[in-house]
Amino acid sequence: MAAFGYRIPITDIPPPLKNETSASIDQKIHDGVTTKDQIRALFGDPRESTFTDSGHEQWRYAFTNASSDAANFIPLYGDLHQDTHGTEKTLTVIFNGDVVWHHTMNASAVKTGSGLF
């Protein structure tokens, strides 16, 4: 127990987009209705906050779930080459004032590699 109360292990708090789909996001976010405060309550602080050319504030959230490829564990080969694969989810929310103007959720496959070959 911490001096100021209970400590919650960070692993007990799921990332905001981990279990989300486009359909579940559409149930939670309604263009023209949902507010910035409601978005922040649902997903926390955005990973990135920018402005569009037209001056609308844009928030981005991202979650990547990647795993090491099995070949990484082959002796010698794994020492020289490392690959990962998985899925990246990105939620983009554009505001008109304090209300959601438009939102979109994308999921895409990701693959990374490093090493000598």
Side-chain angles (χ1 to χ4, degrees):
M1 182 173 2
F4 297 103
Y6 294 102
R7 289 195 306 177
I8 299 172
I10 197 151
T11 55
D12 290 350
I13 303 170
L17 299 181
K18 181 177 182 179
N19 299 317
E20 299 292 353
T21 63
S22 291
S24 68
I25 291 293
D26 287 344
Q27 291 175 353
K28 294 175 181 176
I29 301 175
H30 303 281
D31 295 351
V33 177
T34 308
T35 66
K36 281 184 184 179
D37 288 340
Q38 290 170 319
I39 296 295
R40 195 178 305 271
L42 287 168
F43 306 108
D45 290 328
R47 178 180 209 168
E48 178 182 326
S49 178
T50 60
F51 288 89
T52 65
D53 291 339
S54 59
H56 292 96
E57 189 172 5
Q58 178 175 280
W59 289 3
R60 279 210 174 103
Y61 295 86
F63 172 74
T64 303
N65 184 17
S67 301
S68 294
D69 288 352
N72 295 350
F73 302 101
I74 298 172
L76 188 58
Y77 178 83
D79 294 335
L80 301 174
H81 187 79
Q82 297 286 307
D83 280 331
T84 61
H85 66 279
T87 304
E88 180 176 65
K89 296 179 180 182
T90 304
L91 170 62
T92 303
V93 183
I94 302 173
F95 296 95
N96 185 15
D98 286 336
V99 177
V100 173
W101 180 52
H102 184 68
H103 73 280
T104 185
M105 171 82 162
N106 298 308
S108 57
V110 292
K111 184 166 179 68
T112 61
S114 63
L116 297 177
F117 52 91

